[in-house]
């Protein structure tokens, strides 16, 4: 299933790489405040699935949105800075920083004061960059025109103008039509990604519900509750029906909880909270408290008065009585299910949207399903294992997992603040300690307060202990720089380390190139010899008789870094890049200005090419009719293609075969 999905996405990406993207449309509005003061509003309509970066991003991150107002001499002055919408914030693992971005639309406003009555419009330029899940476009510049209303009244919000230089349009309707056209041209893969994210949440929640089912607070309730329904009901059919209603009531209760969380905080707020330093610290403390509870330090319980009131309502009978029986189960089992539910809601918060509701749906179905099934087939109850010390073991294991997860949230806070207190080595050392102690516990070498005497270790417990011990040993090389791809995304990134350039060079320490470099070359990603000048790279390729791999990339391109870290680091791919091709990496967001005599106006876009990045971006657009990165082309010494260009492709085997096919055609 996973391979099929990956193959489908790769075919989708190959069908998209040659397209020209134009995912942002700009409109302008002018609002009058007083005789001299106006507010200039620039609205960005963003194609679904793409995101536009905010104005205030630290150096070293993606290119921020920036406005330049062309001040006509003595006609107006700016009041304050350009403001922007709230947007979304996330901790980007590639750039190790907090980054703000916008989806669907964004509004930027600038307050101005006119010093002259002889002014009919204000001109401005906006520099911006957009990305989606698989592409990043090079920074673009749009010219904006803010038309000043002549009437002595507030300008209507409908008085907008599309200010693209090549097609001025006065009605917002045209902007919507243009947006729909772009949507038709670009497959909506982000929605598929979102669906997969919700499916993952559902599956993890279902498994968590199953784990909660095996705790001492819930498991013994199964035979008791099913026996109650079968004995109290007048017929077998009635017993099954009542048990089904009981299960549905459990689902409703937990889904209501997820709905309340989403409604109180808001879908967007949950996502914003997940990247907030203080909330990550609160989540860390909360999960540590949950872990201590599971390990036996204390029990988290709701007031007994609440349980008694709910239990009294369960005696009313009928549908209402069954519902309150389900509510009583949720309250009585809270000491076991509460920490798991809390962890699920915290994790779902990082996804935003309806993720908390989906999570509670998966969790509650896992809890409710056994009650319904055993009511329908009461004979199955005989096959259930007896309650005993193994239930507390399940609870303790969950406590260790809660503790390990807690440090992920502490790591998020540390990454945002860039304190370097919880660097990769420290994080891994903590996980090694947590899972190592868990392995000793499973082998019976450590006992906790509520454990029963252990005379022998079951085969299942021994097998799980060996699995945990193997995982612990797997983590140890990470202290010396092993990439640990199995847990990619959990520990801090490789560069957030005490020795990012020491023993932690992933997979390329043996292939590191030494000696003098060719003229114009330098060591690039994975220490590959790389040229940044097209002509110098081509000259060197002719000299050594190798084909050229053109790498259209960007300093702020997230997926370019992913390809370099996950695909280029593979020994087979790395061997080809080091020995069989000449790599020319052309950075489309390089801000260095070209000499004045080398600046020109693009034949394809009509824009002035002022920087080195503009030059390489224009080369990509003009030659390959594409403007997204990463973008790879294998060419011969006459710049003729040796294979179809490739875009973002995380499949190592396919990328390797693509490289080899191009090289073989060069040799023929």
């Amino acid at each position: 299933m996973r391979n099929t999905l990956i193959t489908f996405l790769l075919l989708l990406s190959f069908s998209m790489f040659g397209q020209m993207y134009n995912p942002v449309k700009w409109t302008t509005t002018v609002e009058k405040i007083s005789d001299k003061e106006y507010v200039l509003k620039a609205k960005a309509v963003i194609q679904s699935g793409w995101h536009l970066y905010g104005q205030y991003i630290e150096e070293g991150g993606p290119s921020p949105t920036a406005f330049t107002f062309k001040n006509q001499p003595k006609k107006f002055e700016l009041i304050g800075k350009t403001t922007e919408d709230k947007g979304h914030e996330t901790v980007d693992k590639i750039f190790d920083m907090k980054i703000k971005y916008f989806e669907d639309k964004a509004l930027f406003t600038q307050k101005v004061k006119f010093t002259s009555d002889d002014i009919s419009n204000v001109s401005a330029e906006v520099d911006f960059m957009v990305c989606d899940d698989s592409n990043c476009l090079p920074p673009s510049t749009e010219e904006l025109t803010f038309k000043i209303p002549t009437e002595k009244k507030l300008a209507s919000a409908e008085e907008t103008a599309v200010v693209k230089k090549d097609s001025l349009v006065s009605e917002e309707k045209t902007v919507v039509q243009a947006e729909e056209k772009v949507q038709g041209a670009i497959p909506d893969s982000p929605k598929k990604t979102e669906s997969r994210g919700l499916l993952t949440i559902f599956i993890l929640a279902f498994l968590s519900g199953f784990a909660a089912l095996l705790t001492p607070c819930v498991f013994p309730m199964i035979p008791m509750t099913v026996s109650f329904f079968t004995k109290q009901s007048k017929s077998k059919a009635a017993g099954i029906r009542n048990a089904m209603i009981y299960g549905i009531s459990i689902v409703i209760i937990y889904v209501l909880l997820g709905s309340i969380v989403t409604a109180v905080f808001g879908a967007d707020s949950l996502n914003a909270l997940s990247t907030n330093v203080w909330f990550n610290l609160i989540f860390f403390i909360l999960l540590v408290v949950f872990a201590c509870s599971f390990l036996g330090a204390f029990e988290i319980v709701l007031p007994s008065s609440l349980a008694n009131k709910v239990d009294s309502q369960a005696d009313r009978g009928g549908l209402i009585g069954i519902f309150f029986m389900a509510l009583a189960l949720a309250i009585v089992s809270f000491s076991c299910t509460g920490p798991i539910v809390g962890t699920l809601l915290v994790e779902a918060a990082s996804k935003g949207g309806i993720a908390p509701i989906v999570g509670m749906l998966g969790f509650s179905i896992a809890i409710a399903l056994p009650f319904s099934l055993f009511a329908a087939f009461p004979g199955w109850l005989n096959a259930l294992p007896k309650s005993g010390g193994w239930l507390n073991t399940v609870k303790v294991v969950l406590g260790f997992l809660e503790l390990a997860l807690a440090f992920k949230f502490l790591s998020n806070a540390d990454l945002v603040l860039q304190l370097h207190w919880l660097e990769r080595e420290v994080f891994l050392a903590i996980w090694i300690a947590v899972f190592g102690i868990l392995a000793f516990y499973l082998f019976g070498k450590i006992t906790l307060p509520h454990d029963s005497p252990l005379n022998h270790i079951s085969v299942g417990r021994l097998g799980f202990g060996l699995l945990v011990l193997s995982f612990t040993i797997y983590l140890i090389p990470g202290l010396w720089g092993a990439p640990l791809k199995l847990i990619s995304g959990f520990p801090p990134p490789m560069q957030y380390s005490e020795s990012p350039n020491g023993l932690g060079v992933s997979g390329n320490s043996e292939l590191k190139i030494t000696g003098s470099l060719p003229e114009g070359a330098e060591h690039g990603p994975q220490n590959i010899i790389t040229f940044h000048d097209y002509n110098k790279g081509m000259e060197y390729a002719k000299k050594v008789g190798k084909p050229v791999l053109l790498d259209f990339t960007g300093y702020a391109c997230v997926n370019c870094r992913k390809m370099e870290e996950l695909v280029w680091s593979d020994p087979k791919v790395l061997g080809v890049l080091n020995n069989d091709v000449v790599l020319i990496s052309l950075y489309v967001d390089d801000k260095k200005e070209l000499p004045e005599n080398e600046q020109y106006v693009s034949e394809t876009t009509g824009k002035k090419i002022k920087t080195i990045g503009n030059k390489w971006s224009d080369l990509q657009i003009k030659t390959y009719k594409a403007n997204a990165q990463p973008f790879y082309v294998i060419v011969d010494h006459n710049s003729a293609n040796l294979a179809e260009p490739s875009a973002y492709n995380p499949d190592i085997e396919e990328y390797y075969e693509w490289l080899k096919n191009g090289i073989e055609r060069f040799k023929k």
Side-chain angles (χ1 to χ4, degrees):
M1 174 68 180
R2 182 174 178 270
N3 291 335
T4 303
L5 182 60
I6 291 173
T7 302
F8 169 74
L9 293 175
L10 287 174
L11 290 174
L12 181 63
S13 67
F14 281 124
S15 69
M16 291 169 60
F17 73 82
Q19 296 180 7
M20 290 292 298
Y21 299 113
N22 187 22
V24 180
K25 302 293 182 182
W26 291 91
T27 64
T28 61
T29 308
V30 178
E31 180 181 342
K32 184 176 180 181
I33 301 177
S34 65
D35 289 341
K36 297 294 184 181
E37 294 183 340
Y38 290 77
V39 175
L40 310 181
K41 298 181 179 181
K43 179 182 178 183
V45 179
I46 307 166
Q47 160 70 32
S48 177
W50 293 80
H51 54 262
L52 172 74
Y53 292 110
Q55 298 178 95
Y56 308 107
I57 296 177
E58 297 177 21
E59 186 176 352
S63 298
T65 299
F67 288 86
T68 303
F69 292 89
K70 300 177 181 179
N71 194 343
Q72 300 168 349
K74 299 181 181 180
K75 289 192 176 183
F76 73 91
E77 59 185 32
L78 303 180
I79 301 176
K81 295 182 178 180
T82 304
T83 61
E84 61 188 21
D85 285 344
K86 185 177 180 182
H88 309 276
E89 290 186 344
T90 185
V91 178
D92 191 280
K93 296 174 184 176
I94 297 295
F95 295 106
D96 290 335
M97 65 175 63
K98 195 174 184 179
I99 293 176
K100 182 176 180 180
Y101 65 93
F102 303 97
E103 293 179 334
D104 300 326
K105 61 182 179 179
L107 181 65
F108 301 87
T109 59
Q110 174 65 59
K111 191 175 181 181
V112 297
K113 181 178 181 180
F114 291 147
T115 55
S116 171
D117 294 330
D118 182 24
I119 184 169
S120 59
N121 62 73
V122 174
S123 298
E125 284 186 353
V126 56
D127 296 303
F128 62 96
M129 180 177 178
V130 289
C131 294
D132 70 356
D133 286 345
S134 59
N135 296 289
C136 278
L137 304 187
S140 298
T141 301
E142 290 287 352
E143 294 185 2
L144 306 179
T145 301
F146 298 87
K147 293 185 177 180
I148 310 304
T150 56
E151 299 180 12
K152 302 297 183 180
K153 63 179 181 180
L154 294 180
S156 169
E158 284 78 19
E159 291 176 323
T160 61
V162 180
V163 291
K164 284 188 66 63
K165 183 170 63 175
D166 56 347
S167 58
L168 293 174
V169 186
S170 60
E171 296 182 11
E172 193 169 349
K173 178 180 178 182
T174 307
V175 177
V176 176
Q177 291 173 342
E179 183 187 7
E180 290 173 349
K181 185 176 180 181
V182 174
Q183 288 176 344
I186 303 175
D188 201 3
S189 57
K191 288 188 177 179
K192 293 186 176 70
T193 303
E194 180 182 354
S195 299
R196 293 196 302 275
L198 292 177
L199 179 61
T200 302
I201 285 288
F202 179 85
I203 294 173
L204 291 176
F206 184 86
L207 295 176
S208 299
F210 183 74
L213 192 68
L214 300 178
T215 58
C217 313
V218 182
F219 187 81
M221 299 291 290
I222 297 175
M224 293 171 55
T225 305
V226 172
S227 297
F228 172 82
F229 281 123
T230 54
K231 290 178 181 179
Q232 296 296 321
S233 303
K234 295 181 180 179
S235 65
K236 181 180 179 181
I240 294 174
R241 183 185 67 248
N242 291 338
M244 293 291 182
I245 295 172
Y246 181 72
I248 293 172
S249 299
I250 293 174
V251 174
I252 292 174
I253 289 167
Y254 282 104
V255 170
L256 279 174
L257 176 61
S259 302
I260 291 170
V261 170
T262 303
V264 170
F265 292 102
D268 292 335
S269 298
L270 282 171
N271 187 55
L273 290 179
S274 68
T275 58
N276 181 278
V277 172
W278 290 108
F279 275 91
N280 271 287
L281 291 175
I282 292 171
F283 293 159
F284 165 71
I285 295 171
L286 192 63
L287 292 183
V288 170
V289 171
F290 288 162
C292 291
S293 173
F294 272 166
L295 294 174
F298 50 82
E299 283 195 2
I300 303 173
V301 294
L302 292 174
S304 58
S305 59
L306 177 61
N308 293 334
K309 288 180 181 179
V310 172
D311 192 51
S312 64
Q313 294 294 321
D315 296 331
R316 296 175 59 178
L319 295 178
I320 295 178
I322 294 175
F323 178 81
F324 276 100
M325 281 187 65
L327 184 58
L329 171 69
I331 293 173
V332 170
S333 63
F334 181 78
S335 61
C336 290
T337 60
I340 300 175
V341 169
T343 304
L344 273 175
L345 289 174
V346 167
E347 188 63 25
S350 65
K351 304 297 181 184
I354 62 171
I357 299 174
V358 173
M360 289 301 95
L361 179 63
F363 179 85
S364 58
I365 289 176
I367 293 286
L369 201 57
F371 291 96
S372 301
L373 290 177
F374 283 115
F377 307 99
W380 290 2
L381 288 173
N382 297 326
L384 282 180
K386 303 297 182 182
S387 299
W390 68 272
L391 292 175
N392 189 68
T393 301
V394 172
K395 191 175 177 182
V396 169
V397 170
L398 292 175
F400 278 105
L401 295 179
E402 294 263 1
L403 189 60
L405 183 60
F407 283 95
K408 171 58 181 170
F409 291 97
L410 185 62
S411 173
N412 289 343
D414 184 62
L415 281 168
V416 172
L417 296 175
Q418 289 290 292
L419 297 176
H420 287 266
W421 289 352
L422 196 61
E423 292 180 320
R424 186 178 177 89
E425 292 89 347
V426 178
F427 182 95
L428 290 175
I430 293 171
W431 267 36
I432 290 169
V434 170
F435 286 102
I437 294 173
L438 174 56
F440 277 107
Y441 172 79
L442 292 170
F443 292 142
K445 303 300 181 182
I446 298 173
T447 57
L448 291 173
H450 299 297
D451 285 330
S452 302
L454 186 66
N455 298 321
H456 67 276
I457 299 176
S458 67
V459 175
R461 181 166 177 164
L462 176 63
F464 187 60
L466 289 173
L467 182 65
V468 173
L469 180 60
S470 300
F471 178 69
T472 306
I473 296 172
Y474 168 79
L475 295 176
I476 293 174
L479 296 173
W480 289 274
L484 303 181
K485 294 182 181 181
L486 189 62
I487 58 169
S488 177
F490 277 92
M494 295 286 291
Q495 58 266 38
Y496 199 76
S497 166
E498 291 182 3
S499 55
N501 297 315
L503 295 175
V505 179
S506 60
N508 197 24
S509 57
E510 296 180 2
L511 295 172
K512 186 171 181 179
I513 302 171
T514 57
S516 59
L517 291 169
E519 183 183 355
E522 62 181 61
H523 287 301
Q526 306 297 333
N527 289 303
I528 304 166
I529 291 182
T530 307
F531 290 86
H532 294 315
D533 183 274
Y534 182 88
N535 293 327
K536 289 182 179 179
M538 291 298 291
E539 288 177 8
Y540 180 75
K542 293 175 183 177
K543 180 179 177 181
V544 296
K546 295 179 182 179
V548 171
L549 174 61
L550 293 179
D551 166 31
F552 289 95
T553 183
Y555 295 112
C557 173
V558 175
N559 284 319
C560 302
R561 302 294 86 76
K562 289 181 180 178
M563 287 292 293
E564 293 161 5
E565 293 175 7
L566 300 178
V567 179
W568 287 13
S569 62
D570 180 80
K572 290 189 300 183
V573 175
L574 192 57
V576 172
L577 296 178
N578 271 325
N579 304 313
D580 300 331
V581 298
V582 173
L583 178 64
I584 302 179
S585 294
L586 305 176
Y587 286 82
V588 298
D589 54 0
D590 191 330
K591 296 295 186 181
K592 297 186 188 71
E593 284 204 6
L594 292 166
E596 193 168 341
N597 63 338
E598 294 183 18
Q599 296 181 12
Y600 64 96
V601 176
S602 171
E603 297 177 359
T604 52
T605 65
K607 296 179 180 179
K608 187 170 184 179
I609 305 303
K610 298 189 249 183
T611 67
I612 292 175
N614 293 157
K615 178 181 177 181
W616 302 139
S617 178
D618 187 55
L619 174 67
Q620 182 186 358
I621 293 171
K622 181 179 179 180
T623 309
Y624 303 106
K625 303 297 184 291
N627 63 344
Q629 291 78 44
F631 189 82
Y632 307 105
V633 192
I634 300 180
V635 299
D636 61 18
H637 300 155
N638 296 317
S639 300
N641 289 9
L642 296 171
E644 286 295 322
S646 173
Y648 176 69
N649 184 359
D651 189 301
I652 293 174
E653 289 299 325
E654 287 200 15
Y655 192 80
Y656 173 74
E657 289 300 323
W658 175 79
L659 285 173
K660 294 299 289 183
N661 288 338
I663 294 168
E664 289 300 321
R665 293 184 68 178
F666 174 79
K667 293 178 179 178
K668 291 180 180 178

